């Protein structure tokens, strides 16, 4: 198990502070800081993942499936597409991964609200970052990271024009959030609302 780089400095500072308070005989404060550090180690964990199959759309996030439905999203698709929403709970791994290999055409930011990430309003109104992706076969895919009521920062590991392989890390949303995938409506899905999925491992469909 690795630690996402965004958490390393925070964890180090907390552990050093806990040690200093412990040496000063302020054991209650030291214990509190140590517990916070343990939580951050758990939250920022970054596990190695191998997809369940050689082919298929891998989940971009750990969490629970909120929606699997056909929608019209005029931002990128000229027709109805398949939307899969995943709610990342506070204790899920929060590193997000690429569902299929493709090139990042454009990255945009929008929204400012902070509704709970499992609220439908979060999809349109919350702070979010959207990746517009061209797949190897020329088809389109959209991936959206959405901040929740606790999350305040979305960090990208990729930039526009980068080619990113299936299963590679693309970013992290810190402290509870939601990820949405928009893809060809002909996708044969293998998941349903309520299913638990794992980023870079669970196959959502083909």
């Amino acid at each position: 198990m690795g630690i996402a780089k965004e958490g390393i400095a925070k964890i180090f500072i907390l552990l050093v502070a806990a040690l200093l308070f412990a040496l000063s005989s302020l054991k209650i404060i030291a214990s509190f800081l140590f517990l916070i550090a343990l939580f951050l180690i758990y939250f920022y964990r970054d596990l190695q993942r191998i997809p369940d199959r050689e082919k298929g759309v891998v989940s971009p996030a750990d969490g629970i499936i909120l929606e699997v439905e056909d929608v019209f999203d005029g931002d990128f698709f000229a027709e109805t597409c398949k939307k899969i929403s995943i709610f990342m709970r506070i204790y899920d791994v929060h590193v997000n991964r690429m569902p299929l290999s493709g090139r990042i055409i454009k990255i945009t930011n929008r929204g400012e609200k902070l509704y709970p990430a499992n609220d439908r309003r979060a999809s349109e109104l919350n702070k979010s970052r959207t990746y517009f992706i061209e797949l190897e076969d020329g088809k389109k895919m959209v991936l959206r990271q959405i901040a929740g009521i606790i999350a305040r920062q979305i960090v990208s590991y990729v930039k526009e024009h980068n080619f990113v392989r299936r299963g590679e890390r693309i970013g992290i949303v810190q402290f509870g959030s939601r990820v949405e995938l928009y893809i060809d409506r002909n996708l044969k899905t293998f998941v349903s609302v309520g299913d638990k999925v794992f980023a870079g491992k669970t196959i959502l469909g083909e």
Side-chain angles (χ1 to χ4, degrees), residues 51-130:
D52 288 336
R53 302 185 186 184
E54 292 185 2
K55 296 183 179 181
V57 180
V58 295
S59 176
D62 280 31
I64 299 294
I65 299 291
L66 288 178
E67 300 168 324
V68 180
E69 57 186 1
D70 292 337
V71 300
F72 177 77
D73 188 298
D75 286 346
F76 205 49
F77 291 91
E79 58 185 17
T80 301
C81 61
K82 184 78 68 179
K83 175 185 177 183
I84 301 176
S85 299
I86 302 168
F87 174 51
M88 294 189 291
R89 299 160 297 184
I90 193 70
Y91 48 82
D92 286 317
V93 174
H94 275 61
V95 175
N96 301 143
R97 295 174 180 265
M98 191 75 158
L100 289 170
S101 298
R103 190 171 303 280
I104 309 294
I105 302 302
K106 182 172 64 172
I107 301 175
T108 62
N109 298 290
R110 74 178 189 186
E112 58 183 17
K113 302 295 185 181
L114 288 170
Y115 289 108
N118 57 350
D119 189 314
R120 274 186 172 268
R121 292 173 293 180
S123 180
E124 296 296 327
L125 301 176
N126 276 24
K127 179 180 180 181
S128 66
R129 179 163 297 163
T130 303

Side-chain angles (χ1 to χ4, degrees), residues 140-155:
K140 310 299 181 183
M141 179 175 70
V142 175
L143 185 67
R144 180 169 292 149
Q145 295 170 304
I146 301 171
I149 195 168
I150 300 175
R152 291 295 186 273
Q153 188 176 17
I154 300 172
V155 179

